């Protein structure tokens, strides 16, 4: 499967999150060698009453738990929105190889905005990062969601 | 109970974490009105195979789950080490009122070091922060732990 196909899968998760009343962000974690999808999830902070239940955290926890290993060095993350500083740090701790993200997030992002976690001296593993993959659709989902709340 | 007593409880959790072979960090989450301890935990990243299972994340998740509410606005966190950027961001998302921490962490901290999450433009809730509470004991635990690994 191509990067676009994995991002399509993440966008499906984002749409499902919107239907549940969650901020529409979706993520897919992929084994870079086999191409296998290890985990996929959308945001669940409201449903789980868990402020840490962002899509990225959920797929990292699920894949690490399934592998029985707290680090996932040869795995790539596809996520529809620029990770926040919490998720960016978790990505670093999990030693992910690459991060592909959709929409840029000037207000809440922690990769290309805000604290720019991967550029910090206290970041000990920096993944390769590719932003703007599937950006148009990811941004539309978020705009529709926040527009409908007003 | 006083701040020192809650920090003693967090230090107990840190010692228990060390005995399990985890980085010795402990945390206690307290309801600021009643003084009730809502959750207490030590790091569990290795045992749970979960890179996000820092003591702070564990107590936030436990307390939010128990309250059935993803935000904990009138709660205070006691943690033996300066929170990393992941935990600092989770603390902000959870809307915690205050953070009391023990040892400063120049290498991995995200509050007074590294990305200084609470000072970032993308941080929308900043708790009051008090560092260096119980610092001597918290630092000794960490030094003994990392010393024993060499």
């Amino acid at each position: 499967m191509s990067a676009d196909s994995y991002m399509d899968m993440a966008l499906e998760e984002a749409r499902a999150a919107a239907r549940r009343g969650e901020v529409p962000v979706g993520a897919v974690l992929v084994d870079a060698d086999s191409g296998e999808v290890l985990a996929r999830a959308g945001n669940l902070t409201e449903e789980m009453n868990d402020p840490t239940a962002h899509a990225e955290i959920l797929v990292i926890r699920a894949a690490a738990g399934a592998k029985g290993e707290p680090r996932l060095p040869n795995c790539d993350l596809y996520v529809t929105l620029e990770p926040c500083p919490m998720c960016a740090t978790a990505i670093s701790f999990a030693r992910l190889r690459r991060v592909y993200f959709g929409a840029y997030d000037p207000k809440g992002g922690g990769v290309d905005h805000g604290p720019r976690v991967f550029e910090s001296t206290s970041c000990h593993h920096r993944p390769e990062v590719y932003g703007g993959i599937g950006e148009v659709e990811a941004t539309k989902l978020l705009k529709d969601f926040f527009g409908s709340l007003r």
Side-chain angles (χ1 to χ4, degrees), chain A:
Chain A
M1 279 176 71
S2 68
D4 283 349
S5 311
Y6 292 124
M7 191 57 86
D8 283 344
M9 202 180 282
L11 285 163
E12 271 175 39
E13 291 293 338
R15 280 187 287 268
R19 288 192 294 272
R20 295 190 305 265
E22 302 276 354
V23 176
V25 179
V28 172
L29 197 67
V30 176
D31 183 301
D33 287 326
S34 66
E36 185 194 351
V37 172
L38 300 174
R40 49 188 290 177
N43 270 9
L44 279 174
T45 56
E46 301 300 320
E47 188 173 320
M48 292 179 71
N49 291 311
D50 178 355
T52 75
H54 285 192
E56 301 94 313
I57 299 284
L58 295 174
V59 295
I60 288 171
R61 296 182 63 213
K67 276 190 180 267
E69 165 56 61
R71 283 157 287 270
L72 302 162
N74 213 25
C75 296
D76 297 340
L77 178 75
Y78 296 80
V79 56
T80 60
L81 183 65
E82 178 186 342
C84 78
M86 174 180 74
C87 293
T89 310
I91 286 163
S92 176
F93 289 155
R95 308 281 195 277
L96 300 190
R97 190 185 71 146
R98 287 185 186 160
V99 176
Y100 299 86
F101 72 81
Y104 289 86
D105 187 2
K107 281 190 188 165
V111 176
D112 277 355
H113 298 93
R116 298 175 191 269
V117 164
F118 299 138
E119 294 171 24
S120 165
T121 49
S122 67
C123 180
H124 305 300
H125 169 81
R126 293 170 180 78
E128 294 174 34
V129 177
Y130 304 90
I133 318 286
E135 184 180 8
V136 173
E137 174 66 9
T139 303
K140 186 180 180 309
L141 277 171
L142 287 157
K143 279 200 174 152
D144 289 351
F145 179 78
F146 286 109
S148 73
L149 293 183
R150 275 178 206 118

